[in-house]
Amino acid sequence: MNINNIKKIGFEILKNADIYNIQFEISCLICEALNISKIEFIKKNLNLNSLQIKKCVNYFRRRADNEPLQYIIGKCEFMSLMFKNNNHVLIPRQDTETLVQLIIKNFENKSCIILDIGTGSGCIAASLAYYLKNSFIYALDVSDKALNVAKENFKNLGVENKIKIIKHDILKCFPKIEEKINIVVSNPPYIESENIKKLKNEIKNYEPTIALDGGSDGLVFYKKIISGIDVDNEVFVAFEVGFNQAQNVKKIMEKKLINVFIKKDLSGFERVVMGTYKPICNC
Ligand code: GLN
């Protein structure tokens, strides 16, 4: 059996699945199963042994069962960097690049200490550490399994010396960090608990609920973080929000922050809300 035959089998198995770009996904699954590049993939004379065929078919079946491509191949690109991921962490989304880009744009060439709350795969923390040369990041998460993935990503991307991992439950209290934090960033869980069951199968059946569930109104993490920020220096806060949450999050932020702005993502949704905390000066 050669590459063309296995492509056809992939198509047969996946043609009825709800996949936006089926040919692309089949090529990714085959390349990963055979451990070949996209260049080798176009060599039609590449023959497959029975073990390789079995592996490809296994990947196709998992995908047909709605398992996300990124979990099957175990990796995902974000901000032009490659991240390992598995079902203990949320798959990095393109929307989140808007949040990361905004911070990079505002803090390029400045030295800054950043707190990333709910780091998951570590995609936000690692990208900021990678592109902001004078930054240091505290990456927080409640899940040990997620922190293991993040740790591996930080190491693979060569930024492990610029990031300190902290296991912490933000819902219990705001973390005590000795250094002055300049930026608080978070893409917290923000789906209303009731709506989780309405999400697509590939999300609700595979991505960790703990990374999705934002409580009954979807806003519990924003409220907790904003009420917890109690620092004595200026801090910039930037959140990713659900497509219809920006105005609500803005209101929450305005209780404590000034200059609260909303930024749209590339699809035109209000995706990022940011603001600044300025301590009241009694002098
Ligand atoms: N910070 C990670 C990301 O943006 C994880 C987010 C989460 O688990 N809610 O992908």
Side-chain angles (χ1 to χ4, degrees):
M1 182 177 290
N2 65 25
I3 281 273
N4 263 347
N5 305 128
I6 199 74
K7 272 200 243 175
K8 282 189 191 127
I9 293 178
F11 189 76
E12 277 311 304
I13 296 177
L14 290 170
K15 68 178 181 214
N16 295 323
D18 178 21
I19 297 176
Y20 173 67
N21 194 341
I22 186 166
Q23 298 297 352
F24 169 75
E25 293 214 9
I26 288 172
S27 71
C28 293
L29 291 167
I30 295 175
C31 283
E32 188 58 33
L34 304 184
N35 196 18
I36 59 170
S37 69
K38 292 267 166 77
I39 295 299
E40 287 168 282
F41 176 77
I42 55 175
K43 292 182 189 152
K44 295 192 174 47
N45 53 0
L46 194 75
N47 281 315
L48 278 65
N49 62 35
S50 61
L51 216 71
Q52 290 173 316
I53 297 167
K54 231 171 138 177
K55 199 163 177 193
C56 288
V57 171
N58 170 274
Y59 281 12
F60 298 148
R61 294 225 169 100
R62 284 168 64 185
R63 189 67 190 100
D65 240 7
N66 294 309
E67 184 170 348
L69 171 74
Q70 295 88 340
Y71 287 156
I72 302 172
I73 66 174
K75 60 190 173 194
C76 175
E77 189 253 68
F78 179 82
M79 286 298 295
S80 303
L81 303 172
M82 196 52 85
F83 287 86
K84 171 198 157 123
N85 66 8
N86 61 29
N87 62 358
H88 298 304
V89 295
L90 202 76
I91 298 166
R93 303 294 206 273
Q94 224 182 0
D95 306 331
T96 309
E97 292 190 348
T98 306
L99 174 67
V100 171
Q101 286 162 349
L102 181 118
I103 295 174
I104 294 172
K105 220 167 138 189
N106 277 279
F107 289 87
E108 223 168 3
N109 303 323
K110 292 184 190 151
S111 88
C112 50
I113 311 287
I114 303 171
L115 173 62
D116 173 27
I117 300 176
T119 202
S121 64
C123 62
I124 296 176
S127 310
L128 292 175
Y130 189 91
Y131 292 110
L132 289 174
K133 295 298 168 206
N134 300 318
S135 62
F136 187 85
I137 329 280
Y138 290 90
L140 235 80
D141 208 287
V142 66
S143 154
D144 281 316
K145 288 181 172 151
L147 287 175
N148 285 339
V149 177
K151 193 172 175 187
E152 218 179 308
N153 281 323
F154 299 156
K155 194 158 185 288
N156 291 344
L157 294 164
V159 291
E160 74 269 35
N161 295 332
K162 296 185 67 187
I163 303 179
K164 185 173 163 57
I165 286 176
I166 302 176
K167 180 184 157 111
H168 184 84
D169 183 356
I170 190 71
L171 294 180
K172 289 217 172 100
C173 62
F174 203 81
K176 288 187 179 45
I177 289 168
E178 294 302 311
E179 269 184 296
K180 285 189 174 181
I181 300 293
N182 308 112
I183 305 169
V184 174
V185 60
S186 185
N187 171 24
Y190 54 64
I191 310 292
E192 294 91 335
S193 308
E194 262 305 293
N195 286 342
I196 290 183
K197 57 176 181 290
K198 296 185 201 151
L199 296 171
K200 281 169 74 172
N201 283 340
E202 65 178 69
I203 301 177
K204 70 168 183 253
N205 294 347
Y206 290 94
E207 298 204 71
T209 308
I210 189 178
L212 299 168
D213 192 345
S216 56
D217 61 359
L219 303 172
V220 60
F221 287 89
Y222 303 109
K223 291 177 186 161
K224 212 59 197 178
I225 295 170
I226 291 299
S227 72
I229 292 178
D230 183 20
V231 285
D232 55 9
N233 64 314
E234 189 171 330
V235 61
F236 179 80
V237 182
F239 290 126
E240 175 173 324
V241 299
F243 73 97
N244 56 0
Q245 292 174 323
Q247 298 302 333
N248 286 334
V249 174
K250 184 167 183 265
K251 275 186 209 132
I252 296 168
M253 290 174 83
E254 278 170 342
K255 288 190 184 142
K256 205 153 177 183
L257 310 182
I258 57 167
N259 298 333
V260 180
F261 287 103
I262 293 175
K263 189 161 168 44
K264 290 185 178 166
D265 63 21
L266 291 176
S267 315
F269 291 113
E270 295 185 327
R271 185 60 69 187
V272 172
V273 191
M274 74 212 105
T276 310
Y277 177 85
K278 269 201 202 294
I280 298 159
C281 182
N282 294 322
C283 45

